[in-house]
Amino acid sequence: MTEATDLAERAGDRDPRIGLRAVSALRRLLEQLEAVQVHSARNQGWSWQEIAAELGVSRQAVHKKYGRQ
């Protein structure tokens, strides 16, 4: 997780350009990690409701985002 640690550190940089770029990269990384975990949960038989509860979103939101993949 060195990449994530480095990005988190850069997100707090005093230079907004560096900080904003790091925030953007962290957002992309989090989206990728979320997708991996959602697919893993579905492969293990989790319902959309169970996944949504863990993510703190509605069942409809998680299904809309990942249901067709």
Side-chain angles (χ1 to χ4, degrees):
M1 289 304 258
T2 302
E3 178 185 3
T5 303
D6 292 343
L7 288 172
E9 186 175 317
R10 282 186 267 155
D13 198 281
R14 295 181 71 118
D15 181 342
R17 180 163 297 153
I18 293 170
L20 290 169
R21 286 179 182 163
V23 167
S24 179
L26 281 167
R27 187 177 295 120
R28 287 189 304 273
L29 180 59
L30 285 173
E31 287 292 321
Q32 292 168 355
L33 291 171
E34 181 180 279
V36 166
Q37 291 301 329
V38 168
H39 292 297
S40 175
R42 290 297 291 166
N43 286 337
Q44 293 180 39
W46 284 39
S47 70
W48 291 114
Q49 184 61 47
E50 290 173 303
I51 296 167
E54 294 302 321
L55 291 175
V57 300
S58 70
R59 179 190 60 79
Q60 293 85 352
V62 76
H63 186 264
K64 181 178 179 182
K65 188 171 182 178
Y66 297 105
R68 295 185 185 100
Q69 295 179 355

